[in-house]
Amino acid sequence: MNAEDIADSADSAVPTSHRLADSLGVRAQDVQIMKASFFGEEPDPAEAENIYPSRKSHVGLSAGPPSPLVRSVEQSSLGNALLGHAFKSKLLSSPALTRKVSPVHSKTTHDGLGHNFENLRSDRSMIEEQPPTHGLFGSGLFTGRVKTIQSSHSSIFPSPDKPLLPSGIVIEDHPRKAVGTRIQHLIPSLEDSVMDRKHHLVKDGALLMGRSSRVGWAHDGVLVHSGNPIQPQEEVSKPSLLPSIDRHVQQNSTSFSVTIEKVNITPFATNEIDSIFINNHIEMLEIQLNNSEHSTEGTCPIFVPQLGITTLHAFADKACKNKEDVSEYHPDYDTLCHRSLVWDLCVSLWGNLPEFEDLADADVSSYEYQMSRRESFSQWLADSASPVINKEVHETKLKGRSHLVAILSHLTGRQIPEACKLAQESGDYRLALIIAQSQGSSLHKQMLKRQLADWCESKADQYIESGRLKLFTLLSGTMVWPASDQTVNVSEYLDWKRALAFHLWYLCPSNASIPEALKTYEDAFKGRSQYGVYCDPPVPPYSETDSDLNQDVTDDEDKQFIVRDTCYHLLKLYSNRYHRLERVLAPTTSTPNTLDYRLSWHLLTVLQSLQYSHLSDTRTVMLHTNFASQLESLGLWHWAAFVLLHINDDERREAAVKDLLNHHATISHDAEYIEKECFLVQKLKIPIEWLHQAKAIKAAISGQPQLEAWHLLKSGQWNKGHKVILRHVASHAIITDNYSLLKKYLGQLSELEHDCTMIEGWNNGGKVYLDYINLVETMAEFKQKEPSAYDLEKLRPEVLSLCDRIGSIQCATTEDRLCQCEMSTRTANILKSLLALEEESGQTSDKQSNTL
């Protein structure tokens, strides 16, 4: 018989149900499995041949090479489903097939089933020692003898009277096949990748975001990102008796590793937060709190700064005090000095003036007001340059330099008397006379300019010291002078504030305003003057020594953000009321730490009190949340709530404050924590229900259902509290007779009983427990004193109703069922006692009536 005849005979033997299943797209084997599961009978050998047609195998029980056509019954899901529950139980009853069975080799067969048949390894000696068992296959299967099986249609179900032979198939006949393998390609570095320098192609998402990852911030300053750690890892040296070995942390070379680290807000606040640093935060925040207005009209309170300059002066005084209280060796000393400088500038630009008692009535466009502001600003420039001038004069004396250098240094701070005195002490009387006339009319400036022109024409300036030429150039009202053999630049090697002071005091007219002087200085460092760029740009103090930043100058700063000093941006804001506030409040304008928002946030509140409110809502919310995160990382989370309460949007403000409370609210009774809670409720007017809601979440996480239910009820979440009581508290309280605890919880819910919509399932839940407790307490009172007939008559319908409602309690655990049984038993006993008391009361009344 050839292969085609075998196939035709197999097709003709297929039942009609199988053909119908094939036409519907269902496998015939699935239909057979379904039939077997219906009847649970042992399949006939003919049916087994239909399921596995044209299958020939030689199966043995020896310890030789396993047969790939024998399947492990113990691990096969197909066999269990095919044979049904009854057949499976019989099959597993055979000890010879359930012991020493392990899948060794699998091979995918092409019989239409698409299943992998696992091989069996059996110990032949063990099988021969097994006693005859009458299982599914009969007692003749395991006889201890080996017989040869010859059949044209063999089945996977062995014949009861024919034992199995050793398999003649070896493992080499069926080699293992690797399915689904793929080559692991190494990810190249960004420099070697085709994506290098193509991240600006926004239309291609793979190029734009292919090598990026989401930056995940958690509370307390924890950052989750991909790649190597941002901050250097410090090695911790441990004492050891072994010789010292150099160890260094090897960072991951791949950019797809995940790093979790806490980013330090300040370089010195690494392990222990400086107390001075924390106290400065608290003092500034207290000033802002005392000068804020709050409203509690909505669901969440909101704080806004008070209008006026009271807060500004308070900040300036506190910043000056903080700078004086800190040593110059403190790591935060430079930042405190710059903060004090910024607040003093704000006072000079918007603060009180000696000439005006009430600034609200002053005309800001008047000449008197402008000159008063100019003088106040000039004093600020002189005070800011004073420390540097003292240092330079001292170095000049120590190094024995010319007195001309020290005189020029005095002039950068408008120290005219000191410069004249030094010139006289050095015997330079004519120079002292010229310096004394520098703040007068412009006639002497014209005369000095004429003298410089004559020297240049005759080339006599080649024999004059460069320091003296620089002084004459400055006093003539010129910033740059082209001499015969050199170019004299009086602003050379000066910081931007002193260069601006030269433009205000010597170049501009004496009646020029602050915006005019600032415009002249901008032309100088942007190259719009006739001499090009001749002074340094207004860089922040931490980068004044960086030559690269000093050369970063562009004429169009509106389209490109360049880091400038905060003081410069404040001057721009004073000159142009609509100057971009996001640049004024950027942290990089005052500190190298981009996460340090303490000055930015307080400056925002002061500008808002001065009615500068053109910062976008998105930027404002970002500033509030960033500063709140900084306070969280410092342990001042209760003050972070105060910062978040400045968000204008009600939903954002409420969500941010609740999220903060969920992070930091605890169920402890620590005195420090209780003080913070009182601050939140009393000072910040935060609803106490929000704290109870956060505590309920912490109690649920820590597995304290009683506290969870209590805080849920206190937070007004009646449905959640009711569910927690029924699920975790009620049954245990009834079983342990702790009725007072359960009644305390349910008593709060009973007050809302008149509104059935507020508590879901109250009548069949909490009310049943509460009525049961009231009934038990009533019966306890009856033991104290004898009840009247009216009391018994009134109590009877309540007991009958309770008996019916106890069965409606939902039981999810065995403890709930035990509680229900206890309540049912006790209620039934109470009902019996009640009926007995009624009967006795009735008999007593009958006797009394008969007596009468």
Side-chain angles (χ1 to χ4, degrees), residues 133 195 301 324 398 469 650 698 732 749:
T133 58
M195 302 170 62
E324 294 174 354
L398 290 178
L469 284 176
D650 295 338
K698 290 298 178 71
H732 184 74
L749 295 174

Side-chain angles (χ1 to χ4, degrees), residues 350-606:
W350 292 286
N352 291 323
L353 293 173
E355 297 82 4
F356 297 89
E357 296 181 358
D358 189 5
L359 287 177
D361 299 334
D363 185 9
V364 295
S365 61
S366 62
Y367 177 80
E368 183 180 4
Y369 181 85
Q370 294 292 333
M371 291 301 100
S372 298
R373 285 299 177 196
R374 172 191 168 98
E375 181 59 29
S376 178
F377 176 60
S378 298
Q379 187 61 42
W380 177 82
L381 289 173
D383 294 340
S384 63
S386 179
V388 182
I389 292 173
N390 296 334
K391 182 180 179 180
E392 291 178 353
V393 172
H394 182 68
E395 290 181 354
T396 302
K397 291 181 180 180
L398 290 178
K399 296 180 180 180
R401 293 180 180 176
S402 173
H403 65 284
L404 300 175
V405 178
I407 291 174
L408 181 62
S409 182
H410 281 299
L411 292 179
T412 58
R414 205 175 58 167
Q415 299 178 0
I416 304 299
E418 289 81 358
C420 293
K421 182 180 179 181
L422 182 58
Q424 289 177 353
E425 291 176 355
S426 303
D428 206 338
Y429 301 106
R430 293 184 176 85
L431 180 60
L433 181 61
I434 295 174
I435 293 174
Q437 299 176 10
S438 60
Q439 299 299 316
S441 62
S442 59
L443 181 60
H444 76 285
K445 295 182 180 180
Q446 298 177 2
M447 297 176 63
L448 281 176
K449 190 178 297 185
R450 180 60 184 173
Q451 182 63 54
L452 288 173
D454 293 342
W455 286 341
C456 181
E457 184 178 357
S458 61
K459 297 185 180 181
D461 54 3
Q462 299 179 3
Y463 306 99
I464 303 176
E465 299 177 70
S466 58
R468 190 174 296 273
L469 284 176
K470 187 175 293 187
L471 283 174
F472 286 157
T473 302
L474 176 64
L475 296 175
S476 66
T478 307
M479 295 293 105
V480 178
W481 179 260
S484 59
D485 58 344
Q486 61 179 330
T487 300
V488 180
N489 183 7
V490 298
S491 300
E492 190 177 10
Y493 308 119
L494 294 180
D495 59 84
W496 76 271
K497 289 184 286 294
R498 293 200 286 176
L500 174 60
F502 275 175
H503 289 78
L504 176 65
W505 295 332
Y506 302 102
L507 179 60
C508 295
S510 57
N511 58 352
S513 62
I514 298 175
E516 294 175 358
L518 183 64
K519 178 64 170 58
T520 307
Y521 167 71
E522 285 183 349
D523 295 340
F525 79 83
K526 291 183 178 180
R528 293 199 294 252
S529 64
Q530 59 178 342
Y531 302 107
V533 178
Y534 60 84
C535 61
D536 291 339
V539 295
Y542 63 86
S543 61
E544 287 181 349
T545 58
D546 193 345
S547 58
D548 294 337
L549 289 178
N550 290 338
Q551 300 298 328
D552 191 7
V553 177
T554 179
D555 191 20
D556 192 4
E557 294 188 8
D558 294 335
K559 298 181 180 180
Q560 180 181 0
F561 175 71
I562 299 177
V563 179
R564 301 298 187 198
D565 196 345
T566 308
C567 298
Y568 171 76
H569 284 293
L570 290 173
L571 290 171
K572 291 284 293 182
L573 184 64
Y574 176 79
S575 303
N576 179 17
R577 185 174 182 83
Y578 299 100
H579 182 65
R580 300 174 66 173
L581 286 181
E582 61 270 17
R583 297 187 176 183
V584 181
L585 303 174
T588 52
T589 60
S590 60
T591 174
N593 305 310
T594 56
L595 300 179
D596 191 357
Y597 288 88
R598 45 182 167 168
L599 178 60
S600 301
W601 189 81
H602 290 296
L603 194 58
L604 171 65
T605 59
V606 169

Side-chain angles (χ1 to χ4, degrees), residues 167-183:
S167 174
I169 302 176
V170 295
I171 300 178
E172 289 74 8
D173 296 336
H174 300 276
R176 296 177 180 268
K177 292 183 179 181
V179 180
T181 59
R182 53 183 178 180
I183 302 175

Side-chain angles (χ1 to χ4, degrees), residues 256-319:
F256 294 94
S257 58
V258 178
T259 303
I260 303 176
E261 60 179 329
K262 182 175 181 179
V263 180
N264 297 325
I265 304 301
T266 55
F268 58 88
T270 53
N271 298 326
E272 297 181 0
I273 304 298
D274 196 336
S275 59
I276 299 177
F277 184 72
I278 297 296
N279 292 333
N280 291 343
H281 269 291
I282 296 176
E283 291 172 354
M284 300 293 282
L285 289 168
E286 286 178 347
I287 293 175
Q288 183 60 44
L289 177 61
N290 296 331
N291 294 274
S292 298
E293 298 177 355
H294 69 277
S295 174
T296 56
E297 294 181 358
T299 58
C300 180
I302 183 173
F303 282 79
V304 293
Q306 290 181 353
L307 299 180
I309 58 176
T310 306
T311 310
L312 172 59
H313 284 276
F315 280 155
D317 296 339
K318 180 57 65 176

